[in-house]
Each structure stands twice: as structure tokens, then as C-alpha cells.
Amino acid sequence: MNQTISGTLSNKRWGRLIPIAFITYSLAYLDRANYGFGAAAGLAEDLNITPAISSLLGALFFLGYFCFQVPGGIYAEKHSAKRLIFWSLILWGALAAATGMVHNVALLAAVRFLLGVAESVVMPAMLIFLSHWFTREERSRANTFLFLGNPITVLWMSILSGYLINSFGWRGMFIIEGAPAIIWAVIWWVIYADRPKDAKWLSDTEKRAIENALAEEQQAIKPVKNYREAFRSPKVLALAFIHFFWNIGMYGFIMWLPSMLKTASGLGIVATGWLSAAPYLLAVPLMLTASWYSDKFQQRKAIVLAFLGLGAVCFIASFTLGASHFWISWSLLVIAGGAMYTPYGPFFAAIPEMIPRNVVAGAMSFVVCFGALGSFVGAWIVGYLNGLTGNPAASYVFMGASLVVAVLLTALTRFSNASNTLTHATTSH
């Protein structure tokens, strides 16, 4: 069976499914991360937005994103990710374009919140989709190709958005970058298949080979009765809080890196775009290498701990040096950003290996949901601190401390399918 999975059938799945996942998540990321460029390019001045309100507007996306993660994930598991993401693509494309058409703060706030709602179903639905198609020996790499949509998109978006703003203004950037999601919705509907049994390009034997391989993995996992029990599991809670603190650092970094670099360097928006792209360029080879290692040697925790630790150390070193050593500080930020992205594939590969199939959709969505809450807190507080103090020092301390907490929680959490408990130190909470 494993030989069948790793041969022709494996090539079919990687060639047909991974591009779908990558493009879909890429488009979602494009339409959430470009707000940082709009904020750095005059959106606040044109709409008379104060720094505190600007940070709240940037964070409102993540509040909407937080609200529907768990229902979206459960719907994708029980019904259809295909239908859910089709409508999500159309809605978020339209709302992203509408960001470039608003003329007052109230409308902008509503659009940002609704954009978060529209995109909230994407990440849990795509992770659940991949867990239906790829086995334990493949899952970290499959997840990584999904998450590569993040740094690769921000990489080209950082450059493209700078040029679009230069040519069409921030309004033109939002409108142009919202259109691809609506176009992709049609393609998605034609080519997507929820599960192996829905794929017309697989034979019955191939469908059974995948389903049997996935069923075998479930035999070693401790049963969990229902979603309520899963949400109360110390292990699920630990993973959720790791993701929460990790994303405080990650999304504060993503949302406000262009503004912070522009302030510290004194360079124009195009040059800032190029500098902002570097962490995402580094993330690509790191993510691919780490996910390959994680699958080959079945190392999940070690990868997450090592790269989150590296990210925290480089991040703290960067703000300790400060703007007086701009280029060294920027280089450390590049390493920190790349390192923070790297463990996503192994981290989410671990969840369906620890949680049984009957509740994994809700549990994974719950972990994603806490990450969205961390994103809201990171984007809001970082923007608020930048506006309050007039420099990024306080927000760097906040993000660095959050990353350290994520590292400590990871060190205390047992990434194992043999038990639903943590090490004694964590269980005591």
C-alpha cells in the first residue's frame, strides 16, 4: 500500500492538489497583508485616521477572522470545503477591492471586519482538505506548500504593491489586487475535489489505497468523545496558546514591518517594499527544508522549537541594536521573519497525528482560531504602540516577549499521539 501511495498515485496527488491549495491561500494572503502597504502609503492621511484608529482598523480583519474559524472548519469536514471556499473567494475579492473605494472610517472598519469573516474559513478548510489526502509521511510537506502561499505572496506583493501605489495610489492597489480572487473562484469550482472518493481522476483502487492508509494512522490515536472534550484537552489548549503567542509576533511583524522600516530607514515606499520582501524570500528554502526533515525523521516538536527559538533570539537582538545599526538590525529581522514562518508545516501536521478524525476538524480550527486572536492582538497593539510612542521600540519588546512565551510553551508541550496530556509543568495549569 505504501509503495502505491509513494508512486504514481503520489505524483497525481501532489501535481493536482498542491497547486490548488497554494494559489487559494496565496490570494487570501494577498488581500489581508496589503493593508500594511496602504497604511504606509497615505490611507490614514486621506481618511483622517489617527494612529490608534489605524492600528484598530488593521486589527479588525483578525477579529472577523477569529469569529468563524471553528464553524467553518466543522462545516468543511461535515459538508463541503468546495462550496464554502467558492463563496469565500467571491466575497473576499469583492471586499478587498471595496477597501480602495471607501471614503470614511466607518465603512473602512466594516469592510475590514467583513473581509476577515470572508477569509476566516480558508485556513481550517484547507488544512482539513490536506489531511484527507496526505499521510503522516507527507503531511508536513503538504502543509508547507499551503503555507508557502504566505511568504511567497508577501514577497511578490511587497514589491508589486510598492509599484502599484506609486502608479495608481493606495486605492488603485486595493482594487487591482482584489480582482484575482473572484477569477480564481470559477477555476476552483471546476477543479477541486473534497475527498479521494470525489476525485474523477482516481481509480477505485487508488481511492481505497489513500483511505486505508489514513485509516491505519487513526488506530494509534487515543479516542476523544466529542468536540467539547477536544476543546478542553490540555494538549489542544497548549497548541492553541502556542499559536496565539506565535501569531502576536508574526502578524505584528507582517502588518507593520513596512511602516517600521520606512520610519527607520527614511527610504521611499518602493525601496521599503524591497526591504520588506527579504524575510519572505528567506522563509521559502527554510520552510521546504524543515518540512522535508520533519516528514523524513517524524520530528514535529524539534522543528517548531528550534525555529521559534531562533526567531525570538534574532528578533530581540534586532531591536536591542536599534536603528543606529540599521542594516545589522534589518538583517536580524530578515532571519527572525524567515524563522517564524518555517515551523507552520510541521506544527499543523502534528495535530491530526494527535487528535482522532471524529474531532480533528474542530480541534484544528480551534488552534487556528486562537492564532487569529493572537493576530488581532498583535496587529492592534503593535500599531497602537507605534502611534503612541512615535517609534517601534515598545512594539518590538511586546512582539519579542510574545515569541519567548510561545517558545516556552512549545518546550513544555508533548507532541505525541500516545496521550492527551502535557508534561507535568504544563498540566499544573
Side-chain angles (χ1 to χ4, degrees):
M1 182 185 300
N2 290 336
Q3 289 181 346
T4 305
I5 289 286
S6 62
T8 305
L9 178 54
S10 179
N11 293 335
K12 280 185 180 180
R13 288 175 300 135
W14 287 94
R16 287 178 178 265
L17 303 175
I18 293 302
I20 299 173
F22 175 81
I23 293 170
T24 304
Y25 197 62
S26 292
L27 293 175
Y29 221 82
L30 167 66
D31 289 329
R32 78 181 66 166
N34 59 7
Y35 182 83
F37 281 90
L43 181 152
E45 290 84 350
D46 290 350
L47 299 184
N48 298 313
I49 300 170
T50 65
I53 295 298
S54 183
S55 67
L56 179 59
L57 288 168
L60 270 175
F61 169 89
F62 298 108
L63 186 59
Y65 197 66
F66 166 78
C67 292
F68 292 92
Q69 298 270 358
V70 173
I74 293 173
Y75 182 92
E77 173 71 27
K78 290 189 173 181
H79 301 286
S80 171
K82 179 175 183 174
R83 188 180 307 114
L84 190 66
I85 293 180
F86 171 77
W87 288 110
S88 176
L89 279 159
I90 292 173
L91 287 172
W92 97 56
L95 288 163
T99 308
M101 303 175 192
V102 300
H103 290 277
N104 62 66
V105 176
L107 278 176
L108 181 58
V111 167
R112 288 298 297 174
F113 177 79
L114 291 173
L115 180 64
V117 172
E119 288 192 19
S120 65
V121 302
V122 177
M123 186 173 168
M126 296 306 293
L127 286 168
I128 291 159
F129 157 62
L130 292 175
S131 75
H132 290 161
W133 282 93
F134 294 95
T135 64
R136 182 186 181 97
E137 289 75 21
E138 307 165 310
R139 198 168 287 129
S140 179
R141 283 169 293 156
N143 287 347
T144 292
F145 278 107
L146 171 68
F147 288 117
L148 276 173
N150 180 322
I152 290 177
T153 300
V154 179
L155 174 62
W156 61 260
M157 182 210 72
S158 297
I159 298 166
L160 176 65
S161 293
Y163 283 107
L164 286 176
I165 289 169
N166 224 32
S167 301
F168 304 102
W170 63 266
R171 292 185 182 279
M173 178 202 71
F174 282 119
I175 293 168
I176 292 168
E177 291 182 350
I182 299 172
I183 298 168
W184 179 249
V186 179
I187 301 170
W188 164 272
W189 187 260
V190 172
I191 62 178
Y192 177 83
D194 274 308
R195 300 169 185 265
K197 65 182 179 61
D198 303 316
K200 296 179 181 178
W201 43 272
L202 291 178
S203 68
D204 289 341
T205 301
E206 290 171 329
K207 293 174 184 179
R208 283 194 299 273
I210 299 169
E211 296 288 358
N212 291 342
L214 294 171
E216 284 179 10
E217 295 178 2
Q218 293 292 305
Q219 295 174 8
I221 302 176
K222 182 180 177 180
V224 174
K225 191 182 302 181
N226 52 40
Y227 285 125
R228 178 177 294 181
E229 185 177 323
F231 296 157
R232 294 171 60 188
S233 159
K235 180 162 291 183
V236 171
L237 288 170
L239 293 171
F241 278 106
I242 290 168
H243 199 212
F244 173 81
F245 287 105
W246 180 359
N247 272 21
I248 286 179
M250 172 63 77
Y251 277 89
F253 178 89
I254 292 166
M255 288 293 294
W256 298 106
L257 181 64
S259 295
M260 290 189 291
L261 285 179
K262 191 171 184 293
T263 300
S265 68
L267 298 173
I269 190 67
V270 173
T272 299
W274 281 98
L275 289 177
S276 299
Y280 312 107
L281 182 62
L282 176 63
V284 174
L286 288 179
M287 290 174 76
L288 290 171
T289 303
S291 65
W292 174 86
Y293 180 90
S294 177
D295 277 344
K296 183 173 178 62
F297 298 101
Q298 288 299 294
Q299 292 293 324
R300 307 304 193 205
K301 177 177 176 175
I303 294 292
V304 177
L305 188 60
F307 282 97
L308 275 185
L310 176 62
V313 168
C314 290
F315 200 88
I316 292 167
S318 173
F319 73 70
T320 300
L321 287 172
S324 58
H325 300 84
F326 175 75
W327 291 108
I328 299 175
S329 180
W330 171 76
S331 299
L332 288 167
L333 268 185
V334 170
I335 297 171
M340 282 190 284
Y341 271 109
T342 299
Y344 275 117
F347 180 79
F348 282 102
I351 297 174
E353 296 163 6
M354 296 187 284
I355 309 298
R357 172 62 65 187
N358 67 309
V359 294
V360 73
M364 194 174 315
S365 301
F366 186 75
V367 174
V368 174
C369 180
F370 265 66
L373 186 60
S375 303
F376 170 75
V377 172
W380 183 13
I381 299 298
V382 168
Y384 175 77
L385 290 174
N386 287 347
L388 183 68
T389 62
N391 67 73
S395 58
Y396 274 128
V397 172
F398 173 67
M399 290 186 284
S402 298
L403 289 171
V404 169
V405 173
V407 171
L408 292 175
L409 284 173
T410 303
L412 292 169
T413 303
R414 185 180 300 157
F415 283 47
S416 165
N417 63 9
S419 169
N420 263 356
T421 61
L422 302 180
T423 58
H424 177 72
T426 307
T427 305
S428 65
H429 295 288

